[in-house]
Amino acid sequence: MKHWIEAARVRTLPLSVSGIIVGSFYAMSQGMFNWKIVVFALLTTLGLQILSNFANDYGDGVKGTDNEDRIGPKRAIQSGVITPQAMKRAMMVMSLITLGFAGLLIYFAFKESYLLYSFVFFVLGILAIASAIRYTVGKGAYGYRGYGDLFVFLFFGWVSTFGVFFMFSKEIDWLLLLPATAIGFLSVGVLNLNNMRDEESDRKSGKNTLVVKKGGVWAKKYHFFLVVSAMVLVLLFAVIFDFTIDPANPERFNFDLYLFLIAYIPLILHLKRVAANTNPKLLDPELKKLALSTFLLAILLALSMFYFFSDIIVNLFLGGR
């Protein structure tokens, strides 16, 4: 069990649900909530992330990409604690479990009233499962051709955040594009750090990530673009959403609703460490720090949106007395 938990790479799980948290609380801020959608959206996303981690362990393991040159912690197949055959079976089981969660999520969101939406999201679910596997598995693995960043951005940014909100509302709210893009950028940032850390071993193994293609200097600039852009987009979202309004006193600036800015502190410190880094091995702890900082940002932004909505409701009731 210990080896399977390690193979699931628990430290990546909080990052994977960040988009679900933001999208769900945005729906709540619009007066919509269904706990079944939230629960099964979280379970589906966690299933996809664990499946992706198993597939990465398997794909890089059987291809020989995980070798003595790799800087990060040893993976299960690389260290020999789990066989490729066992990991392949685990991938099949995890695919079925995730598909089951996705099916329940689709049912609770649309039931019999929105068959077209159900079909579209079922196809998205299949594509997400296939993408989780094909990142490193197979001859045409897209992670070996530099497309990993795009798929991470789409599925853990836009699809995750927009998708769960659509399940509540049955419509698209384009304002959500700002935090959805921010979560996508930060998720790609974690992948970019991983690729920066493993640049030399990936190059030797023929894993042509964007970092291998463009080089370490470009990767640092790219990383700064991802993280700084994410911070700007979230702040812009708060301004457009009008977090500054205090329903009890519209002329007073409501600092409580900008609690999410606390998450900018570890993000800025993270950027300082990455800028000063000259040893790829020291980038490994930054993966966890960036993932947890993204999760913290999602939680605080969600609380800000919920507080904004609940404060309005409370003051409306009090004002009506």
Side-chain angles (χ1 to χ4, degrees), residues 12-20 42 45-46 49-50 156 160 187:
T12 65
L13 301 185
L15 175 70
S16 67
V17 300
S18 296
I20 299 296
L42 289 172
T45 304
L46 290 171
Q49 184 63 59
I50 293 171
F156 289 102
S160 176
S187 299

Side-chain angles (χ1 to χ4, degrees), residues 4-290:
W4 285 109
I5 292 173
E6 289 174 351
R9 296 166 68 191
V10 176
R11 69 177 182 174
T12 65
L13 301 185
L15 175 70
S16 67
V17 300
S18 296
I20 299 296
I21 292 170
V22 171
S24 297
F25 273 79
Y26 186 69
M28 194 184 301
S29 75
Q30 310 297 318
M32 296 171 280
F33 186 74
N34 183 329
W35 68 268
K36 293 178 182 178
I37 293 177
V38 176
V39 168
F40 284 102
L42 289 172
L43 289 173
T44 301
T45 304
L46 290 171
L48 284 170
Q49 184 63 59
I50 293 171
L51 172 61
S52 177
N53 292 339
F54 284 174
N56 290 347
D57 199 308
Y58 176 82
D60 285 341
V62 298
K63 285 183 169 72
T65 306
D66 288 341
N67 51 48
E68 64 278 0
D69 293 324
R70 186 174 183 271
I71 294 174
K74 281 192 174 184
R75 289 177 173 172
I77 290 178
Q78 177 190 6
S79 58
V81 296
I82 296 176
T83 65
Q85 294 77 17
M87 187 64 78
K88 197 170 184 179
R89 287 194 296 270
M91 287 163 53
M92 294 174 63
V93 170
M94 206 65 227
S95 296
L96 292 174
I97 291 173
T98 303
L99 188 61
F101 286 148
L104 289 169
L105 170 62
I106 291 167
Y107 172 75
F108 288 127
F110 304 121
K111 296 193 175 177
E112 300 86 7
S113 304
Y114 301 93
L115 292 179
L116 179 60
Y117 294 160
S118 296
F119 175 76
V120 170
F121 273 85
F122 184 76
V123 171
L124 278 175
I126 296 294
L127 289 175
I129 290 171
S131 297
I133 295 171
R134 293 290 291 172
Y135 177 64
T136 59
V137 176
K139 293 182 180 179
Y142 63 86
Y144 280 70
R145 294 184 290 166
Y147 297 124
D149 299 55
L150 176 62
F151 279 80
V152 166
F153 174 76
L154 289 175
F155 282 101
F156 289 102
W158 285 3
V159 172
S160 176
T161 313
F162 268 116
V164 73
F165 176 77
F166 188 88
M167 287 182 159
F168 283 106
S169 65
K170 315 302 184 289
E171 61 184 26
I172 294 175
D173 188 330
W174 292 109
L175 181 57
L176 193 59
L177 181 66
L178 296 173
T181 301
I183 296 297
F185 279 169
L186 292 171
S187 299
V188 173
V190 174
L191 176 62
N192 185 57
L193 274 178
N194 183 86
N195 293 340
M196 288 170 67
R197 181 198 66 192
D198 296 337
E199 179 184 359
E200 291 305 316
S201 61
D202 284 346
R203 180 175 283 110
K204 291 178 182 178
S205 304
K207 188 176 182 179
N208 293 314
T209 63
L210 278 182
V211 178
V212 170
K213 288 182 175 182
K214 301 288 187 178
V217 174
W218 177 89
K220 270 192 180 183
K221 294 177 181 177
Y222 175 52
H223 194 73
F224 269 72
F225 165 77
L226 292 170
V227 177
V228 173
S229 295
M231 291 191 290
V232 171
L233 288 170
V234 172
L235 186 58
L236 182 60
F237 169 73
V239 172
I240 296 175
F241 197 98
D242 218 353
F243 278 10
T244 57
I245 293 178
D246 182 347
N249 186 2
E251 295 180 358
R252 183 175 72 87
F253 188 88
N254 199 340
F255 289 100
D256 295 348
L257 299 179
Y258 282 81
L259 189 66
F260 67 86
L261 291 174
I262 293 173
Y264 285 25
I265 298 172
L267 289 173
I268 292 169
L269 293 175
H270 162 76
L271 288 177
K272 287 183 66 176
R273 289 190 293 268
V274 172
N277 179 266
T278 56
N279 182 359
K281 188 174 183 179
L282 298 179
L283 291 175
D284 188 65
E286 295 303 316
L287 273 76
K288 182 178 180 179
K289 292 174 183 176
L290 181 56

